[in-house]
Amino acid sequence: MASSHRSSPPVPQSKSSDAFFKKEPDSAKRFRPVQSLPDVCPKEPTGDPNSLCDSPSLVADQHRWTIYHSKVNLPAALNDPRLAKRESDFFTKTWGLDFVDTEVVPSLYLPQISKDHFTAYQLDIVQREKIHEKCKTVCPPKDTFDRTLLHTHDKSRTDLEQVPKIFMKPDFALEDPSTFNMVLPWSHFNTAGGKGSRDAASSKLLQEKLSHYLDIVEVNIAHQISLRSEAFFHAMTSQHELQDYLRKTSLAVKMLRDKIGQIDKVMCEGSLKVLRLSLTKVNCIKVYNKLKLMAAVHQTQPTVQLLLSTSEFVGALDLIATTQEVLQQELQGIHSFRHLGSQLCELEKLIDKMMVAEFSTYARSDLNRPLEDECQILEEDRLVSLVFGLLKQRKLNFFEIYGDEIIITAKNIIKQCVINTVSEIEEIDTDVVVKLADQMRMMNFPQWFDLLKNIFSNFILFLKRIKATLNVIRSVVLLVLDKNQRSKEPGEAPVQKNAPRESAVDTEVAYLTHEGMFISDAFSGRDLPPAAADSASPRNVCPDSEPSSSDSVSEPECATDSSSSKEQTSSGTAPAGIETMIGEDMKLSELELVRLANNIQELLYSASDICHDRSVKFLMARAKDGFLEKLNSTEFVALSRLMETFILDTEQICGRKSMSLRGALQSQANKFVNRFHEERKTKLSLLLDNERWKQADVPAEFQDLVDSISDGKIALPEKKTGAPEERKPMDFLIVDGQKYAVVGTVLLLIRIILEYCQCVDNIPSIATDMLTRLSDLLKYFNSRSCQLVLGAGALQVVGLKTITTKNLALSSRCLQLIVHYIPVIRAHFESRLQPKQFSMLRHFDHITKDYHDHIAEISAKLVAIMDSLFDKLLSKYEVKAPVPSTCFRNICKQMAKMHEAIYELLPEEQTQMLFLRINASYKLHLKRQLAHLNVVNDGGPQHGLVTADVAFYTGNLQALKGLQTLDLNMAEIWEQKR
């Protein structure tokens, strides 16, 4: 270790003559034949290649490379340059006899390298190589020692190798039995028997061996000590010098400390004491403030209990929130308050349950109070306070409680109305009939109708009350939303930065403690500016006042009128009490507030649906025995109008349509339409089956009915209350100046048609069903009348002897009357249908076509009757005297009878058209008979007889009323000459 002292002296040298350290020996003495530092820097060149140690060194050899560190791999063994040729059997011993040497083909992808490729590299490193060679001559390598020294070193190592390795182990201990047995194998020594002399020799041999090992080790130790003697003595000398230096240094340090102590006592102690006392004063003030704050916090629970006793939930929650904040910031780690935080959390949970229960009680009280109460909102301040508290605690499902109470109250409203109505009806014995539903079914229609009207009126008041309450709740939610939106506006950003300071007095809750002090004063009074402290000072003036919250809604100025809630929400202004409730701790997002406002609006819609659903159940309970289906038209129309009025009123209140009651009304209307139609269809069927198809007198009321239609009004005339005026019935029905001879069934059919039209006016929702049913009724009348008249069904049904031409003409005229009114009926329905329903009007077009076809068939039937008569009479006609012949006399007689039967029934134009067709048939048969008799218009005697008969027929036919101007064109009876 002498070299380390030489390279970096451990202590500074003294300049005095009596220095502690000796001077360094000169360089000639420092380089000795023996190397002294193999363990410190074994590779450091010393300049003497013969100065290496002859014997091995444990310190040096552990870092020096020896032959034992060599590792030979397969390529090194195979590429041994000392071998002229590689052993051929090296691979065949392992891989088999099939292994043979193969010539490696040069790769086509590798270039051929020559010495020219290294020319540039050699030029670059020439200079460096010269420098390297020069350094090698100046500092020869340490490993260039001769073989004599190596031989000596190997000999020493060989001697040490004679010592067993167990003595060289670092954990060598003779206390270990296994080690002891290995060093001294006592199992070889056995004193029993005759082997004592041999055991003694063995022990002596073992002793000599151990002595030999000891000698080897001592020799090596002595050799190593001799090699390091100079370093050892130098270290001992340095140790003595170091001790003297440390003694001197200790005396100097003691003297310096004495001087520093005197300076500290004179110059620093007083000033430091002042600073220490000042710091102590600051700490005492902090402790005092902490104690004041702790005293205020200690009164939190009694104050919360006092607030809860007056239902000041918002104030209690704000106080708890403020206390929690103080505990987490100012009083964090106070051992006496370690349980207060959890207690306040439990108290907050209790307040949550109390608020929910209080809101449930409020909802029950608000909805179950008498509907006659004019006050729309019950205790509005209490409601606003509850809503703010629930919003503060994120109890956003409180509206569901109100919804459940709405359902219960709606049931109770109907039940109470039924009980009140039943108690007023003496005919219902409540002791015999116990169930309310059975009692309700015993009412007649007027009683039940009044009950339904009462229920509807109560539901309207009920919905108005719900709307007013929900408007207040929704206005509170929108107020909070508006405050959140305004707080995010860029213009108010600077104001928000100072909000924590300002809210210490304005928005934090401050309540009295036992000392008459507020928590906010104890918490932030020391940090407030003078203005804020002055504003907070009035609080301490009245310690005997009743505890109250600055944001309590029980003060008169905090009351919010329901009628002005929307204006406050839209304008963003509200009374001061409500504004202070919306603190920074309203941790509600805009999305949550918007969703809550929408849910409250949906609750109003749900209330309307609930009222409608309960009304539907009430209707269905009464309709179980078919009561509603048995109503007449007037009663059902009154019921329909009442329900439509209620539906429109609820839509006006809630702003949305409810389809349940409308659907029930539509269902009952469909049943009514079916019954209405079946009754009238059955009535029409009975009338047709009893109709004898004779012209009936037209009563005055039917003429008035037709006249009202002519004025453009399709409605049944009102019955006159005065004495009935006696008016004689008329023979014909006058419609737009035309006379219609009708049967009694058609008169009643017109009235039935008007009933259909009037029913559509009274119940617009059944217009399409009524149109379909009326179309069916008109089709039924057409088909059934065709069966009875044209099909001669009346012969069997009524017992007529025959179907006369008069019956046919009367039937045709009745059909014409219905056809006349079909466009009027179509226009009536068209004005009451939706545009998408106009396609249903095609039914009237089909009916009109069917009626015209029927009328044409009747006309064809009348012509066919005369056609068969002409065929029968003219087939026997002979051209001979006397003139006129009997045949022509009979024809004229039948034509006169036909005219007499239909002239009064059909209009003159139709009569003329009919006789023209009959005349055409007559000419056809006469022409055929003349051709058969070979009578031609040659001026002969037969031609003269025929001309006389034809002149007789023409004169008689044109003598009939209305046929004077009829063009008969009798020249067509003769064959044209070719």
Side-chain angles (χ1 to χ4, degrees), residues 500-505 520-521 523-536:
R501 287 289 182 185
E502 297 174 0
S503 63
V505 176
S520 58
D521 295 335
F523 176 50
S524 57
R526 62 186 182 278
D527 299 328
L528 291 176
D534 294 339
S535 63

Short mmCIF file of all heavy atoms in Angstrom, two decimals, residues 500-505 520-521 523-536:
data_model
loop_
_atom_site.label_atom_id
_atom_site.label_comp_id
_atom_site.label_asym_id
_atom_site.label_seq_id
_atom_site.Cartn_x
_atom_site.Cartn_y
_atom_site.Cartn_z
N PRO A 500 -63.85 31.76 -3.93
CA PRO A 500 -63.62 31.13 -2.62
C PRO A 500 -63.50 32.14 -1.49
O PRO A 500 -64.02 31.90 -0.41
CB PRO A 500 -62.33 30.35 -2.84
CG PRO A 500 -62.29 30.09 -4.32
CD PRO A 500 -62.91 31.29 -4.93
N ARG A 501 -62.84 33.28 -1.74
CA ARG A 501 -62.71 34.28 -0.69
C ARG A 501 -64.05 34.92 -0.37
O ARG A 501 -64.44 35.09 0.78
CB ARG A 501 -61.71 35.36 -1.13
CG ARG A 501 -60.27 34.86 -1.12
CD ARG A 501 -59.80 34.67 0.30
NE ARG A 501 -58.42 34.23 0.35
CZ ARG A 501 -57.80 33.89 1.45
NH1 ARG A 501 -58.46 33.89 2.60
NH2 ARG A 501 -56.54 33.50 1.42
N GLU A 502 -64.77 35.33 -1.44
CA GLU A 502 -66.03 36.02 -1.21
C GLU A 502 -67.08 35.09 -0.64
O GLU A 502 -67.95 35.52 0.12
CB GLU A 502 -66.52 36.62 -2.52
CG GLU A 502 -65.58 37.66 -3.07
CD GLU A 502 -66.00 38.14 -4.44
OE1 GLU A 502 -67.02 37.63 -4.92
OE2 GLU A 502 -65.31 39.00 -5.00
N SER A 503 -67.02 33.82 -1.01
CA SER A 503 -68.04 32.90 -0.52
C SER A 503 -67.86 32.58 0.95
O SER A 503 -68.70 31.94 1.56
CB SER A 503 -68.00 31.61 -1.32
OG SER A 503 -66.75 30.98 -1.12
N ALA A 504 -66.72 33.02 1.54
CA ALA A 504 -66.51 32.74 2.96
C ALA A 504 -67.60 33.39 3.80
O ALA A 504 -67.97 32.88 4.84
CB ALA A 504 -65.13 33.25 3.38
N VAL A 505 -68.11 34.54 3.34
CA VAL A 505 -69.16 35.22 4.08
C VAL A 505 -70.51 35.09 3.39
O VAL A 505 -71.53 34.88 4.02
CB VAL A 505 -68.79 36.71 4.26
CG1 VAL A 505 -69.92 37.46 4.96
CG2 VAL A 505 -67.51 36.82 5.07
N SER A 520 -68.00 30.26 9.93
CA SER A 520 -67.28 30.98 8.87
C SER A 520 -66.38 32.06 9.45
O SER A 520 -65.31 32.35 8.93
CB SER A 520 -68.28 31.58 7.89
OG SER A 520 -69.15 32.45 8.59
N ASP A 521 -66.81 32.68 10.60
CA ASP A 521 -65.96 33.68 11.23
C ASP A 521 -64.72 33.03 11.83
O ASP A 521 -63.60 33.51 11.69
CB ASP A 521 -66.74 34.41 12.32
CG ASP A 521 -67.88 35.21 11.74
OD1 ASP A 521 -67.78 35.58 10.55
OD2 ASP A 521 -68.87 35.47 12.44
N PHE A 523 -63.43 30.28 10.92
CA PHE A 523 -62.63 29.65 9.87
C PHE A 523 -61.85 30.67 9.06
O PHE A 523 -60.68 30.49 8.76
CB PHE A 523 -63.55 28.83 8.97
CG PHE A 523 -62.85 28.22 7.80
CD1 PHE A 523 -61.69 27.50 7.96
CD2 PHE A 523 -63.36 28.38 6.53
CE1 PHE A 523 -61.04 26.94 6.89
CE2 PHE A 523 -62.72 27.82 5.44
CZ PHE A 523 -61.56 27.10 5.63
N SER A 524 -62.50 31.76 8.69
CA SER A 524 -61.86 32.68 7.75
C SER A 524 -61.88 34.13 8.20
O SER A 524 -61.62 35.02 7.43
CB SER A 524 -62.55 32.57 6.38
OG SER A 524 -63.93 32.84 6.53
N GLY A 525 -62.19 34.37 9.47
CA GLY A 525 -62.24 35.77 9.92
C GLY A 525 -60.90 36.44 9.89
O GLY A 525 -60.78 37.63 9.63
N ARG A 526 -59.84 35.62 10.15
CA ARG A 526 -58.50 36.21 10.16
C ARG A 526 -58.02 36.56 8.77
O ARG A 526 -57.10 37.34 8.61
CB ARG A 526 -57.52 35.23 10.81
CG ARG A 526 -57.38 33.95 10.05
CD ARG A 526 -56.52 32.97 10.81
NE ARG A 526 -56.35 31.73 10.05
CZ ARG A 526 -57.22 30.75 10.04
NH1 ARG A 526 -58.35 30.86 10.73
NH2 ARG A 526 -56.99 29.64 9.33
N ASP A 527 -58.62 35.93 7.75
CA ASP A 527 -58.15 36.16 6.38
C ASP A 527 -59.03 37.14 5.61
O ASP A 527 -58.74 37.43 4.46
CB ASP A 527 -58.11 34.83 5.61
CG ASP A 527 -57.15 33.86 6.27
OD1 ASP A 527 -56.17 34.34 6.84
OD2 ASP A 527 -57.41 32.64 6.19
N LEU A 528 -60.12 37.61 6.23
CA LEU A 528 -61.05 38.45 5.48
C LEU A 528 -60.54 39.87 5.40
O LEU A 528 -59.88 40.38 6.33
CB LEU A 528 -62.41 38.46 6.16
CG LEU A 528 -63.20 37.15 6.12
CD1 LEU A 528 -64.48 37.32 6.90
CD2 LEU A 528 -63.48 36.75 4.69
N PRO A 529 -60.87 40.55 4.33
CA PRO A 529 -60.56 41.98 4.28
C PRO A 529 -61.45 42.74 5.24
O PRO A 529 -62.45 42.22 5.73
CB PRO A 529 -60.85 42.35 2.81
CG PRO A 529 -61.80 41.32 2.35
CD PRO A 529 -61.47 40.07 3.10
N PRO A 530 -61.11 44.00 5.54
CA PRO A 530 -61.91 44.77 6.51
C PRO A 530 -63.37 44.87 6.13
O PRO A 530 -64.24 44.79 6.98
CB PRO A 530 -61.21 46.15 6.50
CG PRO A 530 -59.82 45.86 6.04
CD PRO A 530 -59.92 44.72 5.09
N ALA A 531 -63.66 45.03 4.83
CA ALA A 531 -65.07 45.16 4.43
C ALA A 531 -65.84 43.90 4.73
O ALA A 531 -66.98 43.93 5.19
CB ALA A 531 -65.13 45.50 2.93
N ALA A 532 -65.21 42.76 4.44
CA ALA A 532 -65.89 41.49 4.70
C ALA A 532 -66.06 41.27 6.18
O ALA A 532 -67.08 40.75 6.65
CB ALA A 532 -65.10 40.34 4.07
N ALA A 533 -65.05 41.66 6.99
CA ALA A 533 -65.17 41.49 8.43
C ALA A 533 -66.28 42.35 8.99
O ALA A 533 -67.03 41.93 9.87
CB ALA A 533 -63.82 41.82 9.09
N ASP A 534 -66.41 43.57 8.44
CA ASP A 534 -67.50 44.44 8.89
C ASP A 534 -68.85 43.88 8.53
O ASP A 534 -69.82 44.01 9.27
CB ASP A 534 -67.31 45.85 8.29
CG ASP A 534 -66.05 46.50 8.84
OD1 ASP A 534 -65.58 46.09 9.92
OD2 ASP A 534 -65.55 47.43 8.17
N SER A 535 -68.92 43.29 7.33
CA SER A 535 -70.20 42.73 6.92
C SER A 535 -70.58 41.52 7.74
O SER A 535 -71.74 41.20 7.88
CB SER A 535 -70.16 42.36 5.43
OG SER A 535 -69.19 41.34 5.24
N ALA A 536 -69.57 40.82 8.27
CA ALA A 536 -69.87 39.63 9.08
C ALA A 536 -70.13 39.98 10.53
O ALA A 536 -70.66 39.16 11.27
CB ALA A 536 -68.71 38.64 8.99
#
